[in-house]
Each structure stands twice: as structure tokens, then as C-alpha cells.
Amino acid sequence: MTAPRLENRLPPEDLLERDDHPLRELAWLLAASLAALALLVLVTGLSARWLAPRLPFEYEVALAERVFNDEPTAATSAVAAAARERRAALQALADRVAAVMALPPGMRVVVSDDPSELVNAYATVGGRIHVFHGLLRKLDSEQALAALLAHEIAHVKHRHVAANMGHGLAVALVLSVVLPESGAQTAQSLLSGAAQLALLGYSRDAERQADAEALAASLALYGHGGGLVTLFTALPQADDAPAGTAWLRSHPDTVERLAALRAVAVAKGAGMEGAVTPLARVLRALPAVAARKS
């Protein structure tokens, strides 16, 4: 029996004339892979945004206890005592506000202050609410602070924080599978920096929902929504955006927000003006602003 003859076959003579160029096939393969990855990230992110608010609130609390340290730190015992007294006053007012907001069973907010001079406040996972000293210095009434706390408590109540965090974390987890090095670092930074996720902002619908809850709480506690007027005046304004771009802002236009709230208050037989209670002394006695180094 004759052994088979092995030899290299010559390439087809019309190889260079064919349309199926290897680089073209590679480009299509890469494009299809990128499209599949983008779709996976989109679907996973949207699914997580839907699922996160439906998970038990205890999961958020457990995460918050690992991430946040609620104990104030200070250089001296006197300063530490003042910080604890200030947080106790914030917490007492938050508890009064939460009591009229019909929070789900087992949900509680924990309020703390931050020495930063940012004019802001935010809610994050586990019902944690942080108020910056920069904003506290601009609020001169209990009604304004109560409106602020009610707005942030509403974000906790309706699980807006969980929805925002669930989406970002899901995307990071997908990236950690596809890109192990950079994706894993992204997921870790999202967990360790959970507090910063709340500063990314909410949708306009979420902000309107929080506004409505803040008005309802203000009317229940004080009979008027004047605290919201003071609060919106103190907050940084986005009204200088170009005309016709209101839909680009994460928060609805301030004038638009107040007009809508005033209409609701009037419909309920109330208004946006009324008696004002001065802010508690302990909340006005904030530490002096540290001098900036040149």
C-alpha cells in the first residue's frame, strides 16, 4: 500500500480578489462583541436599578454600617461634646419629621453633620443623611431645616438612593468580569465611596416626588410651606443655564418648583408663608471656618 503524499496546498489564485478580507471579518467580530457588551451593561444596569429598591432595607443598613462611621471626631472633649449635641439636635428634628412621613416599617434615618462648607446635603444608603455646615449656616429657621430633612428622607423612603447605587454597582460588576483589573477597581471604589453616589443627583421625577413629600411634612408640622421657600433660596441655583435647556438640569427649575408647590399648598387651604421658629442655638453655634492656607 502506497503511503499518502503530504504537501502544502498553494493558495487560490483569486485570494486577493475575494471580498471576505480577514481584517474586515475581524472588524465585524470586534464590533459585534462591543455591541453585545454594551447591551449587557445596559440590561444589567436597568435590571439592578429596578431590583435594588425592592431588596429589604436591612441590606442597605448593613452596608451603611460597614461604610460609615457615625461617631463625630474632634480634637478636644469640649468640641466633641458640642458635636454630639449638634447631631442629637439634628436627629431629634429628623425623627419628628419622619414621624409624619409614613416610613415603611423598620426604616429609620440617621442624620449627621459634615464640617465641609459646601452648601449641600444628601441622603445615602441605609437611611444616612449628611448635612454640610455650609448649608446649615444659611438656614435660619427650624422650618427650613425640617423641609431639607423631609426632602432627603423622601429619597430614602422611596429608595431613590438604592436605585442609583444599584445601577452603578451592577455596571461595575459587569466591567470587573470583562476587564478584571480596571473593572474590579471600579467596583471597589463604588463600595468604599458609597456616600459620593448620592451626589450624582436624581431624576427630575424623583426630585419632584421629594419636593411633594417635603411640602406635605411641612404642612403637617407647621401648617405652611415657608421652610421650602427659605431652603430653595439658600441652595445654589441652576437658573443661569441657557434658555431652553431646563430639561438638562438634574433638579427642576427653582421658580417652577416653588410655583408647583405653592399651587398644591393653596389647594390644601394652606400657603407658603407662616410663623417662623428660629433654628436651635446648638445648630447655629457651628465651628469657625478654618482659615485657608495661601
Side-chain angles (χ1 to χ4, degrees):
M1 181 177 180
T2 305
R5 181 179 178 182
L6 303 177
E7 61 180 6
N8 293 328
R9 297 178 59 185
L10 295 176
E13 295 181 359
D14 61 344
L15 176 63
L16 298 179
E17 299 176 0
R18 294 184 178 180
D19 292 333
D20 53 344
H21 196 278
L23 291 180
R24 183 177 302 169
E25 294 181 1
L26 177 61
W28 277 108
L29 180 61
L30 290 175
S33 300
L34 290 175
L37 174 60
L39 180 61
L40 178 61
V41 169
L42 177 62
V43 171
T44 305
L46 292 177
S47 299
R49 182 178 289 274
W50 177 87
L51 176 63
R54 290 163 175 79
L55 293 175
F57 188 70
E58 305 89 81
Y59 292 1
E60 279 194 51
V61 175
L63 175 61
E65 290 174 348
R66 292 196 300 268
V67 173
F68 303 115
N69 177 18
D70 294 323
E71 287 298 321
T73 58
T76 67
S77 58
V79 174
R84 285 193 292 271
E85 187 180 0
R86 186 166 53 248
R87 290 197 176 187
L90 282 170
Q91 188 63 53
L93 181 56
D95 290 341
R96 283 178 55 202
V97 173
V100 300
M101 294 184 66
L103 299 185
M107 180 177 287
R108 181 176 182 270
V109 296
V110 177
V111 185
S112 62
D113 60 314
D114 189 298
S116 169
E117 289 305 311
L118 287 174
V119 183
N120 207 346
Y122 65 94
T124 186
V125 293
R128 262 56 176 182
I129 295 175
H130 301 262
V131 182
F132 293 117
H133 285 188
L135 180 54
L136 267 180
R137 294 185 197 279
K138 290 181 173 292
L139 302 181
D140 57 3
S141 71
E142 177 185 301
Q143 284 76 11
L145 180 56
L148 168 68
L149 293 174
H151 183 97
E152 299 304 331
I153 291 171
H155 285 312
V156 176
K157 174 183 176 180
H158 295 287
R159 309 297 297 277
H160 298 154
V161 179
N164 276 12
M165 184 177 179
H167 178 267
L169 185 57
V171 171
L173 290 175
V174 170
L175 292 177
S176 68
V177 174
V178 180
L179 306 170
E181 185 66 24
S182 59
Q185 293 176 357
T186 302
Q188 183 178 1
S189 65
L190 279 171
L191 280 174
S192 61
Q196 300 303 318
L197 292 174
L199 295 176
L200 296 178
Y202 304 101
S203 70
R204 292 167 64 83
D205 287 341
E207 289 296 340
R208 290 191 179 97
Q209 189 175 33
D211 284 351
E213 289 268 7
L215 176 62
S218 295
L219 295 181
L221 288 171
Y222 306 109
H224 64 86
L228 283 163
V229 178
T230 304
L231 173 62
F232 289 167
T233 302
L235 288 171
Q237 304 299 310
D239 300 333
D240 56 349
T245 60
W247 60 274
L248 293 174
R249 305 185 185 102
S250 62
H251 289 59
D253 177 78
T254 299
V255 175
E256 174 189 316
R257 294 169 81 180
L258 284 175
L261 292 173
R262 188 181 300 276
V264 173
V266 170
K268 293 184 177 182
M272 302 300 278
E273 296 83 21
V276 173
T277 305
L279 200 61
R281 179 194 57 81
V282 66
L283 296 175
R284 290 183 282 109
L286 299 174
V289 180
R292 295 183 179 179
K293 297 180 179 180
S294 56

